[in-house]
Amino acid sequence: MGKAAAGLCSGSTRGLVSILSAVPCLACKNPPGPGRPAGPAMSGGSEPGQAGRGGGAGLGVPPAPAGPGSDTYKGWLFKWTNYLKGYQRRWFVLSNGLLSYYRTQAEMAHTCRGTINLSTAHIDTEDSCNIVLSSGGRTYHLKASSEVERQRWVTALELAKAKAIRMRNNQSDDSGDEEPASQSDKSELHSTLKSLASKLEDLSTCNDLIAKHGAALQRSLSELENLKLPAESGEKIKAVNERATLFRITSNAMINACRDFLELAESHSRKWQRALQYEREQRIRLEETIEQLAKQHNSLERACRGAPGLSSSATAVSSTSKGSVQPAKGEASDEDEETEYFDAMEDAPAFITVTADPKHHRRSGSNLSGASEGHPEDWNLEDNVFESANQTGDKESMCKDVLPKKRRRTRIPDKPNYSLNLWSIMKNCIGKELSKIPMPVNFNEPLSMLQRLTEDLEYHELLDKAVKCESSTEQMCFVAAFSVSSYSTTVHRTAKPFNPLLGETYELDRLDELGFRSLCEQVSHHPPAAAHHVYSKQGWTLWQEITIASKFRGKYLSIMPLGAIHLEFHSSGNHYVWRKVTSTVHNIIVGKLWIDQSGDIEIVNHKSKDKCQLKFTPYSYFSRDIPRKVTGVVTDADGKAHYVMSGTWDENMECSKIVQSSHGSTSSEGKQKTVYQTLAPKVLWKKYPLPENAENMYFFSDLALTLNEPEERVAPTDSRLRPDQRLMENGKWDEANVEKQRLEEKQRAVRRRREAEAVEALEEGKDYEGYIPLWFERKVDPLTGELICVYKGGYWEAKEKQDWDLCPDIF
């Protein structure tokens, strides 16, 4: 017992010193064997020993720093950017525990492309030449010119990391505040470290004693098993008991030392955690600020370089990914290093539009293709259908010839402020079909999907103007603007509409006021599908069947409309077909909800074969484009480009007439850009301003506020008569939830009865047709070959007679 106590009292700081002194030895570890295959071949030249140039970097092992700034290591490495460009040659500088890189050595004076802090970085070697650095979600894949050069960099990085860790430990702030540590705080830190080292030495001593006495106990037990004489057994058993007692005493001392160590560590861990969290947040903010400044500086540089080559008039840059204009990667896109994660969004434009002077646009040149030549006198469309560039776009000015004859409501009850634990409801919904999940009305807005589908007609006057166009390509511009305008109401509308019940209908009869009337019906429940038919006395008809496929992915919700939209003009017979893009709701669990539209729309005129390719650019934090950008080109049957479309899906769309096109510079991949010279753009569509107090009314537009307004003489299946939706609109959410569950259970009962009838018909050998829509019938679309529901007639006649015998009892 005395020996054990003496051992416990002989502690020193040897344990802590041994741990700290072992850190630099990480640089001497043997490189691992070949890992996964390297990425694409390196781009650019590679010279042996090149990584060692500058600042003494050619040494095998960087010298120990003799003073501030003397531990710099510089050289060339190849950095992975994206799958299109592969590895790109970059100039790397290792200094003060930070690894920074530049495109060229000259950029060190003004533009840093990125920095990684080695004190929190993980260094890994994939194969003979590759290095992988990762820290805080940022990962750099690097490649050296040779295995020797790779080992030099690994050694330098490991030594720099060890030094950075020691500096961070020596300079850590116990309080976690922004002010530097005082002298008393430093003394407390050193005292704490000394106490921890003493306790660590105690643990080491106890471990040695336990091992020693444990071995002796094991030998005594072995001797006891080999005994034969009873007289000797008593003495051996006594010795075993003594050793067991000594072993127990030593173990107790070990346990007490561990308890003291744990209590001491817990008493100081909170301060260290605060200090560490503060340093991490400061580092992240600093890195983001530096990157943002570098990107802004880079954009300004390129703007200065490109300014002399362009005309003094306004220019616009657009991109597309389909049609006659193929996307090409720009020469300068590599300057933004974030392209390794957003390379598809950062591609350089496939075409460039330059506003031409109408008086001088006839200039000739060998590089002009002449594929889209036109005359300025043709661009007089502001006199007939196109709006001028300074058009205000207000609803009063656009609808001045169609005045409403009935006063519509301009507000609904304000949205109640109900708290909701979103995660408790959504955590079991990941990966499931949204339409099959019972949702409370807290997630909804007081409109059904049928009403939301009808809301696409808010800018129907675009189609009224398209009727007046004599040229099919001009008409295509208005149709394209109309297809984009249907998304303008979604920018703030993150709540989901009510899922319609099977057989539910919604009519919007504005034939006298706005010149059209619309009918929607829910024709399928699983999968949910709605059929829509619109007739306008202005000379056009629109119909569609939309199926909503939605998936909850944890952080975001993807909504994918399936089905084609048909639009036919009566006088010309032009028949347009297009499909919707994907909508994504972000920050489902944490943060502020926001919605984005992404994808491509191809609008085809099946009579004239004109096409319009529209690209909805997804939002990217690192993109230099404006948010919610939409671009496109209108071409005829021969692929000749006539108009360029540009704008945003939440604000406006413009159209520019192409007068000439030319082939621009060729990119490194051998793809050519097309430069379009255009006349001044015309505003085709501009979003109506939201009504006053819209933020408390679910961000409804003027039209949306009227969609659920009670009306007489509508069908008993109309969405306006849905009780749970009406209760929610009136602010009675608890009653609405109860009513919603009742309606859903009633619908399930009808489905179970229908399934039983199908089984009975099968047993009797009869055919069972299943659910038959009320006002629509299924036909094969001759253009797309798909089976869709089209309006078969009879609804408006039944409304006139108020004969609703066909309507089921669904409410």
Side-chain angles (χ1 to χ4, degrees):
M1 181 68 183
K3 294 178 70 175
L8 292 174
C9 296
S10 62
S12 66
T13 60
R14 176 174 58 85
L16 184 63
V17 172
S18 64
I19 291 178
L20 294 179
S21 62
V23 173
C25 296
L26 294 174
C28 302
K29 67 180 182 179
N30 294 327
R36 63 178 179 82
M42 296 181 291
S43 302
S46 171
E47 300 177 14
Q50 205 166 16
R53 298 176 185 173
L59 298 176
V61 178
S70 62
D71 57 339
T72 302
Y73 192 93
K74 305 177 182 178
W76 291 100
L77 287 174
F78 290 91
K79 182 180 181 297
W80 175 261
T81 55
N82 53 54
Y83 284 98
L84 296 179
K85 291 181 175 294
Y87 284 94
Q88 295 293 315
R89 191 165 172 260
R90 296 289 180 264
W91 178 255
F92 281 81
V93 177
L94 174 61
S95 178
N96 296 325
L98 299 176
L99 180 66
S100 306
Y101 70 94
Y102 312 83
R103 285 193 69 192
T104 62
Q105 299 183 40
E107 275 193 349
M108 292 177 60
H110 54 81
T111 305
C112 177
R113 300 295 171 178
T115 302
I116 195 167
N117 193 336
L118 293 178
S119 64
T120 58
H122 176 71
I123 304 173
D124 191 17
T125 51
E126 292 184 335
D127 56 20
S128 59
C129 294
N130 283 41
I131 306 172
V132 180
L133 294 178
S134 57
S135 175
R138 183 189 303 275
T139 302
Y140 290 169
H141 293 267
L142 310 177
K143 176 175 287 191
S145 58
S146 64
E147 184 174 358
V148 174
E149 195 63 42
R150 192 282 306 268
Q151 189 58 41
R152 290 179 181 175
W153 274 102
V154 170
T155 301
L157 292 171
E158 293 284 11
L159 289 175
K161 176 181 177 180
K163 182 179 178 181
I165 293 175
R166 290 198 299 271
M167 293 177 62
R168 183 185 61 184
N169 293 335
N170 294 335
Q171 299 175 1
S172 62
D173 186 356
D174 286 349
S175 65
D177 297 331
E178 296 187 28
E179 300 177 356
S182 63
Q183 189 65 32
S184 60
D185 293 335
K186 293 182 179 179
S187 301
E188 182 183 358
L189 177 61
H190 289 302
S191 176
T192 302
L193 291 176
K194 186 175 181 181
S195 300
L196 290 176
S198 176
K199 292 299 179 182
L200 189 62
E201 180 66 22
D202 293 344
L203 293 178
S204 178
T205 303
C206 290
N207 180 68
D208 296 339
L209 291 173
I210 289 175
K212 177 180 178 182
H213 296 307
L217 180 61
Q218 185 64 40
R219 289 195 301 270
S220 298
L221 292 175
S222 299
E223 292 175 358
L224 183 62
E225 292 177 355
N226 297 329
L227 286 179
K228 296 181 179 180
L229 298 176
E232 296 180 359
S233 62
E235 296 178 359
K236 294 296 183 181
I237 291 174
K238 182 179 179 181
V240 169
N241 289 334
E242 291 177 353
R243 294 183 183 278
T245 301
L246 186 59
F247 187 85
R248 184 172 61 255
I249 294 172
T250 307
S251 300
N252 289 336
M254 177 73 171
I255 294 173
N256 292 334
C258 292
R259 186 182 297 112
D260 294 340
F261 182 87
L262 180 61
E263 291 175 355
L264 184 61
E266 287 179 346
S267 65
H268 291 83
S269 63
R270 187 168 299 176
K271 290 191 295 183
W272 293 341
Q273 286 293 334
R274 289 200 304 267
L276 179 61
Q277 181 63 25
Y278 172 76
E279 292 297 331
R280 286 175 176 172
E281 292 174 354
Q282 288 292 93
R283 175 180 59 81
I284 292 175
R285 282 197 292 266
L286 181 60
E287 289 179 353
E288 291 176 349
T289 302
I290 292 175
E291 289 184 8
Q292 190 66 20
L293 289 175
K295 294 177 188 302
Q296 293 175 358
H297 187 82
N298 182 32
S299 298
L300 290 174
E301 284 183 343
R302 289 198 288 178
C304 292
R305 289 196 300 265
L310 297 178
S311 62
S312 58
S313 56
T315 63
V317 179
S318 308
S319 62
T320 186
S321 61
K322 293 184 179 180
S324 61
V325 183
Q326 297 296 329
K329 181 175 301 195
E331 297 81 8
S333 64
D334 177 60
E335 295 181 11
D336 186 357
E337 263 320 313
E338 291 303 330
T339 54
E340 64 181 301
Y341 302 108
F342 299 93
D343 51 285
M345 305 173 190
E346 295 292 331
D347 282 346
F351 62 84
I352 301 176
T353 60
V354 180
T355 305
D357 186 354
K359 297 180 181 180
H360 305 287
H361 84 284
R362 290 172 178 261
R363 64 183 181 183
S364 60
S366 58
N367 63 330
L368 295 180
S369 66
S372 302
E373 295 183 358
H375 301 283
E377 55 269 18
D378 297 338
W379 189 238
N380 58 356
L381 299 171
E382 63 271 18
D383 297 332
N384 44 44
V385 292
F386 277 94
E387 298 295 329
S388 61
N390 59 355
Q391 181 73 22
T392 61
D394 293 335
K395 178 180 289 189
E396 292 80 11
S397 63
M398 299 187 74
C399 302
K400 58 185 178 181
D401 56 339
V402 185
L403 298 177
K405 298 180 180 179
K406 180 179 179 181
R407 184 177 181 84
R408 301 288 178 179
R409 67 180 185 180
T410 58
R411 65 171 294 107
I412 59 175
D414 288 353
K415 177 182 179 181
N417 187 17
Y418 282 123
S419 61
L420 178 65
N421 187 353
L422 183 64
W423 177 242
S424 64
I425 299 174
M426 302 296 286
K427 64 182 179 180
N428 296 322
C429 304
I430 298 176
K432 297 181 180 178
E433 181 71 26
L434 190 65
S435 60
K436 299 181 181 180
I437 301 172
M439 290 287 186
V441 299
N442 307 59
F443 292 100
N444 289 31
E445 61 181 15
L447 289 178
S448 73
M449 178 59 73
L450 302 180
Q451 292 166 314
R452 191 73 175 264
L453 194 60
T454 306
E455 201 174 342
D456 291 352
L457 300 172
E458 181 163 12
Y459 299 94
H460 64 92
E461 61 269 7
L462 291 171
L463 301 182
D464 296 341
K465 296 184 181 198
V467 174
K468 304 174 184 178
C469 294
E470 297 180 0
S471 169
S472 61
T473 54
E474 294 174 9
Q475 192 176 72
M476 176 70 80
C477 294
F478 281 102
V479 175
F482 174 79
S483 68
V484 175
S485 69
S486 62
Y487 298 98
S488 62
T489 61
T490 65
V491 64
H492 300 296
R493 304 270 289 278
T494 53
K496 67 180 291 290
F498 279 79
N499 290 332
L501 303 175
L502 185 62
E504 184 176 337
T505 60
Y506 179 73
E507 69 162 71
L508 188 66
D509 190 357
R510 302 290 173 87
L511 196 62
D512 296 331
E513 302 172 36
L514 303 177
F516 72 88
R517 58 186 180 187
S518 164
L519 175 65
C520 287
E521 180 184 346
Q522 187 75 1
V523 296
S524 175
H525 188 64
H526 287 302
H532 186 202
H533 184 271
V534 188
Y535 166 79
S536 172
K537 63 181 181 181
Q538 302 294 332
W540 55 268
T541 301
L542 183 145
W543 67 95
Q544 60 181 319
E545 181 185 355
I546 297 296
T547 300
I548 300 295
S550 53
K551 287 291 184 180
F552 176 57
R553 304 295 186 183
K555 292 183 179 180
Y556 62 91
L557 174 69
S558 295
I559 302 172
M560 297 152 286
L562 307 176
I565 304 173
H566 294 257
L567 173 65
E568 186 174 15
F569 292 94
H570 304 162
S571 58
S572 63
N574 290 331
H575 190 155
Y576 299 88
V577 179
W578 70 93
R579 300 175 188 271
K580 289 179 174 287
V581 296
T582 298
S583 301
T584 306
V585 183
H586 296 269
N587 294 342
I588 292 292
I589 301 300
V590 179
K592 182 180 179 181
L593 290 174
W594 61 279
I595 195 167
D596 193 23
Q597 316 290 343
S598 60
D600 300 308
I601 292 181
E602 182 183 56
I603 307 176
V604 180
N605 183 347
H606 284 271
K607 179 182 179 182
S608 64
K609 306 305 179 182
D610 299 337
K611 290 185 179 180
C612 178
Q613 301 285 347
L614 292 176
K615 180 178 181 63
F616 288 65
T617 304
Y619 174 79
S620 169
Y621 176 80
F622 303 98
S623 176
R624 291 177 291 273
D625 289 334
I626 59 174
R628 310 180 185 98
K629 181 179 179 181
V630 181
T631 55
V633 176
V634 177
T635 58
D636 59 17
D638 299 326
K640 174 183 175 182
H642 289 265
Y643 298 97
V644 171
M645 306 290 297
S646 62
T648 59
W649 54 263
D650 67 322
E651 287 295 338
N652 60 75
M653 284 297 292
E654 296 180 342
C655 175
S656 302
K657 183 177 179 61
I658 299 172
V659 294
Q660 277 186 337
S661 66
S662 61
H663 299 304
S665 58
T666 303
S667 65
S668 57
E669 286 78 12
K671 298 179 181 179
Q672 267 193 336
K673 299 179 185 178
T674 302
V675 179
Y676 292 128
Q677 293 186 3
T678 66
L679 297 178
K682 308 294 182 182
V683 177
L684 299 185
W685 161 73
K686 190 173 183 180
K687 181 185 176 182
Y688 301 144
L690 290 176
E692 186 179 356
N693 196 38
E695 64 277 6
N696 295 322
M697 297 187 296
Y698 308 91
F699 288 98
F700 282 177
S701 64
D702 288 333
L703 176 64
L705 289 174
T706 67
L707 292 180
N708 204 41
E709 184 178 8
E711 287 193 13
E712 299 178 353
R713 299 175 59 83
V714 298
T717 55
D718 196 272
S719 299
R720 299 177 181 87
L721 305 177
R722 183 166 175 166
D724 53 349
Q725 186 172 302
R726 183 64 62 187
L727 287 170
M728 182 195 176
E729 184 184 276
N730 294 331
K732 301 177 181 180
W733 285 17
D734 293 335
E735 295 91 333
N737 277 319
V738 174
E739 194 65 22
K740 182 173 182 289
Q741 293 181 5
R742 181 188 69 82
L743 292 176
E744 290 175 349
E745 184 55 39
K746 182 177 181 179
Q747 183 172 236
R748 294 188 191 101
V750 173
R751 186 179 72 246
R752 288 193 293 267
R753 186 180 71 247
R754 193 175 292 113
E755 292 173 351
E757 293 174 355
V759 172
E760 182 179 353
L762 181 63
E763 293 176 351
E764 296 177 359
K766 300 179 180 179
D767 293 333
Y768 184 76
E769 295 185 2
Y771 177 77
I772 301 176
L774 302 178
W775 312 107
F776 291 79
E777 60 182 352
R778 295 201 172 275
K779 290 184 177 180
V780 176
D781 189 343
L783 296 180
T784 64
E786 300 174 352
L787 188 65
I788 64 171
C789 277
V790 296
Y791 179 60
K792 64 181 179 181
Y795 178 86
W796 305 107
E797 292 78 6
K799 180 182 179 181
E800 184 70 24
K801 300 176 183 178
Q802 284 296 294
D803 181 10
W804 302 116
D805 293 340
L806 293 177
C807 298
D809 178 18
I810 60 175
F811 299 145

Coordinates of all heavy atoms in Angstrom, one line a residue, residues 201-233:
E201 N -0.2 11.9 -15.2 CA 0.9 11.1 -14.6 C 0.4 10.1 -13.6 O 0.9 9.0 -13.5 CB 1.9 12.1 -14.1 CG 3.2 11.4 -13.5 CD 4.0 10.7 -14.6 OE1 3.8 11.0 -15.8 OE2 4.7 9.7 -14.2
D202 N -0.5 10.5 -12.7 CA -1.1 9.6 -11.7 C -1.7 8.4 -12.4 O -1.6 7.3 -12.0 CB -2.1 10.4 -10.9 CG -1.4 11.4 -10.0 OD1 -0.2 11.4 -9.9 OD2 -2.2 12.3 -9.5
L203 N -2.5 8.7 -13.5 CA -3.1 7.6 -14.2 C -2.1 6.7 -14.8 O -2.3 5.4 -14.7 CB -4.0 8.2 -15.3 CG -5.3 9.0 -14.9 CD1 -6.0 9.5 -16.1 CD2 -6.2 8.1 -14.0
S204 N -1.0 7.2 -15.3 CA 0.0 6.4 -15.9 C 0.7 5.5 -14.8 O 1.0 4.3 -15.0 CB 1.1 7.2 -16.6 OG 2.1 6.5 -17.1
T205 N 1.0 6.1 -13.6 CA 1.6 5.3 -12.5 C 0.7 4.2 -12.1 O 1.1 3.1 -11.8 CB 1.9 6.3 -11.4 OG1 2.8 7.3 -11.8 CG2 2.6 5.5 -10.3
C206 N -0.6 4.6 -11.9 CA -1.6 3.5 -11.5 C -1.7 2.4 -12.5 O -1.8 1.2 -12.1 CB -3.0 4.2 -11.2 SG -3.1 5.2 -9.8
N207 N -1.6 2.8 -13.7 CA -1.7 1.7 -14.8 C -0.5 0.8 -14.7 O -0.6 -0.4 -14.8 CB -1.7 2.4 -16.1 CG -1.8 1.4 -17.3 OD1 -2.8 0.7 -17.4 ND2 -0.7 1.3 -18.0
D208 N 0.7 1.3 -14.4 CA 1.9 0.5 -14.2 C 1.8 -0.4 -13.0 O 2.1 -1.6 -13.1 CB 3.2 1.3 -14.1 CG 3.4 2.1 -15.4 OD1 2.9 1.8 -16.4 OD2 4.1 3.2 -15.2
L209 N 1.2 0.1 -11.9 CA 1.1 -0.7 -10.7 C 0.0 -1.8 -10.9 O 0.2 -2.9 -10.5 CB 0.7 0.2 -9.6 CG 1.8 1.1 -9.1 CD1 1.2 2.1 -8.0 CD2 3.0 0.3 -8.5
I210 N -1.0 -1.5 -11.6 CA -2.1 -2.5 -11.9 C -1.5 -3.6 -12.7 O -1.8 -4.8 -12.5 CB -3.3 -1.8 -12.5 CG1 -4.0 -0.9 -11.5 CG2 -4.2 -2.8 -13.1 CD1 -5.2 -0.1 -12.1
A211 N -0.7 -3.2 -13.7 CA -0.1 -4.2 -14.6 C 0.8 -5.1 -13.8 O 0.8 -6.4 -14.0 CB 0.6 -3.6 -15.8
K212 N 1.6 -4.5 -12.9 CA 2.6 -5.3 -12.1 C 1.9 -6.3 -11.2 O 2.2 -7.5 -11.1 CB 3.5 -4.3 -11.4 CG 4.5 -5.0 -10.5 CD 5.4 -4.0 -9.8 CE 6.4 -4.6 -8.8 NZ 7.2 -3.6 -8.1
H213 N 1.0 -5.7 -10.4 CA 0.3 -6.6 -9.4 C -0.7 -7.5 -10.1 O -0.9 -8.7 -9.6 CB -0.5 -5.7 -8.4 CG 0.4 -4.8 -7.6 ND1 1.5 -5.3 -6.9 CD2 0.4 -3.5 -7.4 CE1 2.1 -4.3 -6.2 NE2 1.5 -3.2 -6.5
G214 N -1.2 -7.2 -11.2 CA -2.0 -8.1 -11.9 C -1.2 -9.3 -12.4 O -1.7 -10.5 -12.3
A215 N 0.0 -9.1 -12.9 CA 0.8 -10.2 -13.3 C 1.2 -11.1 -12.2 O 1.2 -12.4 -12.3 CB 2.1 -9.7 -14.0
A216 N 1.5 -10.5 -11.0 CA 1.9 -11.3 -9.8 C 0.7 -12.1 -9.4 O 0.8 -13.3 -9.0 CB 2.3 -10.4 -8.7
L217 N -0.5 -11.5 -9.4 CA -1.7 -12.2 -9.0 C -2.0 -13.4 -9.9 O -2.3 -14.5 -9.5 CB -2.9 -11.3 -9.0 CG -4.3 -11.9 -8.6 CD1 -4.2 -12.4 -7.2 CD2 -5.4 -10.8 -8.7
Q218 N -1.7 -13.2 -11.2 CA -1.9 -14.3 -12.2 C -0.9 -15.4 -11.9 O -1.3 -16.6 -12.0 CB -1.7 -13.8 -13.6 CG -2.0 -14.8 -14.7 CD -3.5 -15.2 -14.7 OE1 -4.4 -14.4 -14.5 NE2 -3.7 -16.5 -14.9
R219 N 0.3 -15.1 -11.5 CA 1.3 -16.2 -11.2 C 0.9 -16.9 -10.0 O 1.0 -18.2 -9.9 CB 2.7 -15.6 -11.1 CG 3.3 -15.1 -12.3 CD 4.8 -14.8 -12.2 NE 5.0 -13.8 -11.1 CZ 5.1 -12.5 -11.3 NH1 5.0 -12.0 -12.6 NH2 5.4 -11.7 -10.3
S220 N 0.4 -16.2 -9.0 CA 0.0 -16.9 -7.7 C -1.2 -17.8 -8.0 O -1.2 -18.9 -7.5 CB -0.4 -15.8 -6.7 OG 0.7 -15.0 -6.4
L221 N -2.1 -17.4 -8.8 CA -3.2 -18.3 -9.1 C -2.8 -19.5 -9.8 O -3.3 -20.6 -9.6 CB -4.3 -17.5 -9.9 CG -5.0 -16.3 -9.2 CD1 -5.9 -15.6 -10.1 CD2 -5.8 -16.9 -8.0
S222 N -1.8 -19.3 -10.7 CA -1.3 -20.5 -11.5 C -0.6 -21.5 -10.5 O -0.8 -22.7 -10.7 CB -0.3 -20.0 -12.6 OG -1.0 -19.2 -13.5
E223 N 0.1 -20.9 -9.6 CA 0.8 -21.8 -8.6 C -0.2 -22.5 -7.7 O -0.1 -23.7 -7.4 CB 1.7 -21.0 -7.7 CG 2.9 -20.5 -8.5 CD 3.8 -19.5 -7.6 OE1 3.4 -19.3 -6.5 OE2 4.8 -19.0 -8.2
L224 N -1.3 -21.8 -7.4 CA -2.4 -22.5 -6.6 C -3.0 -23.6 -7.3 O -3.3 -24.6 -6.7 CB -3.4 -21.4 -6.2 CG -4.6 -21.8 -5.3 CD1 -4.0 -22.3 -4.0 CD2 -5.6 -20.7 -5.2
E225 N -3.1 -23.5 -8.6 CA -3.8 -24.6 -9.3 C -2.8 -25.9 -9.4 O -3.3 -27.0 -9.5 CB -4.1 -24.2 -10.8 CG -5.2 -23.1 -10.8 CD -5.4 -22.6 -12.2 OE1 -4.7 -23.1 -13.1 OE2 -6.3 -21.8 -12.4
N226 N -1.6 -25.7 -9.3 CA -0.6 -26.8 -9.4 C -0.3 -27.4 -8.1 O 0.6 -28.3 -8.0 CB 0.7 -26.3 -10.1 CG 0.4 -25.9 -11.5 OD1 -0.5 -26.4 -12.2 ND2 1.2 -24.9 -11.9
L227 N -0.9 -26.9 -7.0 CA -0.6 -27.5 -5.6 C -1.1 -28.9 -5.5 O -2.2 -29.2 -6.0 CB -1.1 -26.5 -4.6 CG -0.3 -25.2 -4.4 CD1 -1.0 -24.4 -3.3 CD2 1.1 -25.5 -4.0
K228 N -0.4 -29.7 -4.7 CA -0.9 -31.0 -4.3 C -1.0 -31.2 -2.8 O -1.9 -32.0 -2.4 CB 0.0 -32.1 -4.9 CG 0.1 -32.1 -6.5 CD 1.0 -33.1 -7.0 CE 1.0 -33.2 -8.5 NZ 1.9 -34.2 -9.1
L229 N -0.1 -30.6 -2.1 CA 0.0 -30.9 -0.6 C -1.0 -29.9 0.1 O -0.9 -28.7 -0.2 CB 1.4 -30.7 -0.1 CG 2.4 -31.7 -0.7 CD1 3.8 -31.3 -0.2 CD2 2.0 -33.1 -0.3
P230 N -1.8 -30.4 1.0 CA -2.7 -29.5 1.7 C -1.9 -28.4 2.6 O -2.4 -27.3 2.7 CB -3.5 -30.4 2.6 CG -3.4 -31.7 1.9 CD -2.0 -31.8 1.3
A231 N -0.8 -28.8 3.1 CA 0.0 -27.8 4.0 C 0.4 -26.6 3.2 O 0.4 -25.5 3.6 CB 1.2 -28.6 4.6
E232 N 0.9 -26.9 2.0 CA 1.4 -25.7 1.2 C 0.2 -24.9 0.6 O 0.4 -23.7 0.4 CB 2.2 -26.3 0.0 CG 3.5 -27.0 0.3 CD 4.2 -27.5 -0.9 OE1 3.6 -27.3 -2.0 OE2 5.3 -28.1 -0.7
S233 N -0.9 -25.5 0.5 CA -2.1 -24.7 -0.1 C -2.5 -23.6 0.8 O -2.9 -22.5 0.4 CB -3.2 -25.7 -0.3 OG -3.7 -26.2 0.9

